[in-house]
Amino acid sequence: MEYTTLGSTGMEVSKICLGCMSFGSGTDWMLDEDDSEELIERAIDLGVNFFDTANTYSAGESEEILGDVLAHYDRDEQVVATKVRFSGANEHRNAEGLSRKTIEQELEHSLDRLGMDTVDLYQIHRWDYDTPIETTLRALDDAVRRGQVRHIGASSMWAHQFQEALHVSDREGLARFETMQNLYHLTYREEEREMYPVCEKEDVGVLPWSPLAAGYLTRPHEEFTATERGETEEDYGVPYHEGPGSREINERVQELAADKGVTMAQIALAWHFQNDAVDAPIVGTSSVEHLEAAVEALDVSLSSSDVAYLEEPYEPVPIYGHE
């Protein structure tokens, strides 16, 4: 395993963050408690020390499963991140959003499910258009001061919104967002235009979600919708495979994978690992085998010409993931 410093937090995290959305019973392709435990334990064996979950994943089951497994390990060695914005185990008018009430009650619920007194990284799960950002930041700052949260982060939003949030924190002396979790992969690179320059300037750690385009970059283009996950993403209207250059990028990933004797997923992940803008992609998987292959991708070397070859077909696509 390789490690990196996460933005300005000073925390050392594995260059692979294990995404925990697949833990629970939300859909048929998710893992039950026993299979989730096996995956988490194997991740730890491989050197992964960074885990990302959310109150909304399987209505809180993901947090419960992660917390139960990590309770058998040295908590100080692990970096745990969770999120707030959408409803968790309870659904009512104040179960979602980023009001002080919602943040405080959902944080308590998340800590209880995780079995922890403090979460290392607490992230807002998108922007809340109904709550002033100063209200949200004051509630998060209070959570930091109470010792329930060590660092705060944000997720997919417009760069101007993120810059506004950082400005409010600086003006009011509040805790700043130190990480950005956004959609980014070979067939969706719109974040390079504005968000990543802001993150570089402000020393914000970058944690791309769906780094393999929900599986689109792990198999030939024509096979994508043949999988259960691919069908699900089609239903959601996720445009991973609809960009003008997406098919050609997919074919070039196939070509490089064949040349180097590795999988398509390993090429797509290696592209992230060599990217200076990225701290740790969030790798979600329901297979120990795929997890092991992801770790092996750290050893896949891409030359500058390889990177240029993969990136060359890309053309702008509509913004996705901010809502």
Side-chain angles (χ1 to χ4, degrees), residues 186-190 193 245 249 311-317:
L186 272 166
T187 54
Y188 186 87
R189 291 169 46 208
E190 297 306 299
R193 302 182 191 282
I249 292 169
E311 294 181 349
E312 190 271 333
Y314 185 78
E315 295 184 37
V317 296

Side-chain angles (χ1 to χ4, degrees), residues 21-315:
M21 191 175 73
S22 61
F23 304 159
S25 58
T27 64
D28 292 340
W29 54 265
M30 292 182 174
L31 301 177
D32 62 22
E33 187 169 356
D34 289 341
D35 289 339
S36 298
E37 180 179 355
E38 180 185 6
L39 188 63
I40 297 167
E41 290 181 340
R42 182 60 180 138
I44 294 172
D45 289 343
L46 292 167
V48 173
N49 75 337
F50 192 15
F51 303 87
D52 177 76
T53 183
N55 66 327
T56 194
Y57 293 165
S58 290
E61 285 183 70
S62 173
E63 290 178 322
E64 290 178 349
I65 291 170
L66 179 64
D68 287 346
V69 177
L70 293 186
H72 299 289
Y73 293 84
D74 185 347
R75 171 68 182 90
D76 293 344
E77 295 182 7
Q78 314 303 328
V79 177
V80 176
T82 191
K83 298 184 283 293
V84 61
R85 167 69 174 84
F86 304 108
S87 58
N90 301 308
E91 294 187 10
H92 53 79
R93 291 182 183 276
N94 288 299
E96 62 180 67
L98 294 173
S99 68
R100 175 177 288 274
K101 176 177 174 59
T102 300
I103 288 172
E104 291 183 350
Q105 67 191 19
E106 289 303 315
L107 175 57
E108 291 284 357
H109 295 326
S110 288
L111 290 173
D112 183 59
R113 288 189 290 263
L114 287 164
M116 298 173 182
D117 296 323
T118 305
V119 67
D120 299 301
L121 178 63
Y122 200 47
Q123 304 154 105
I124 63 168
H125 209 168
R126 309 294 190 277
W127 188 265
D128 181 1
Y129 286 89
D130 296 324
T131 304
I133 188 59
E134 183 174 339
T135 298
T136 296
L137 287 167
R138 288 194 181 281
L140 293 171
D141 182 75
D142 286 345
V144 172
R145 293 174 186 274
R146 287 194 301 270
Q148 293 177 300
V149 171
R150 290 193 171 95
H151 304 277
I152 62 172
S155 64
S156 297
M157 62 179 63
W158 298 99
H160 73 84
Q161 293 171 324
F162 192 50
Q163 191 69 73
E164 177 189 356
L166 294 174
H167 171 69
V168 169
S169 290
D170 292 344
R171 185 189 68 204
E172 302 298 326
L174 304 173
R176 296 176 111 237
F177 290 132
E178 295 180 86
T179 60
M180 167 52 62
Q181 183 177 149
N182 53 356
L183 181 62
Y184 185 56
H185 49 71
L186 272 166
T187 54
Y188 186 87
R189 291 169 46 208
E190 297 306 299
E191 299 295 285
E192 294 175 2
R193 302 182 191 282
E194 296 184 356
M195 182 58 80
Y196 282 0
V198 171
C199 291
E200 181 180 10
K201 176 178 179 293
E202 301 289 346
D203 196 14
V204 170
V206 171
L207 310 170
W209 57 270
S210 198
L212 298 176
Y216 176 66
L217 294 171
T218 68
R219 57 183 58 84
H221 173 93
E222 59 273 10
E223 297 179 13
F224 176 56
T225 56
T227 67
E228 187 173 2
R229 180 69 186 271
E231 289 178 355
T232 300
E233 298 299 332
E234 270 250 303
D235 292 341
Y236 289 155
V238 181
Y240 297 139
H241 57 294
E242 296 175 359
S246 294
R247 181 184 287 267
E248 185 170 356
I249 292 169
N250 181 284
E251 291 170 351
R252 292 189 182 196
V253 172
Q254 292 180 61
E255 180 185 338
L256 273 183
D259 288 346
K260 295 179 181 293
V262 298
T263 66
M264 289 179 63
Q266 288 173 322
I267 292 293
L269 283 174
W271 176 78
H272 281 280
F273 296 143
Q274 61 76 44
N275 192 323
D276 290 339
V278 173
D279 286 62
I282 298 171
V283 177
T285 179
S286 55
S287 161
V288 169
E289 179 184 2
H290 290 165
L291 171 65
E292 292 171 342
V295 174
E296 291 170 2
L298 286 162
D299 295 325
V300 175
S301 177
L302 295 181
S303 67
S304 58
S305 60
D306 289 336
V307 172
Y309 184 64
L310 291 170
E311 294 181 349
E312 190 271 333
Y314 185 78
E315 295 184 37

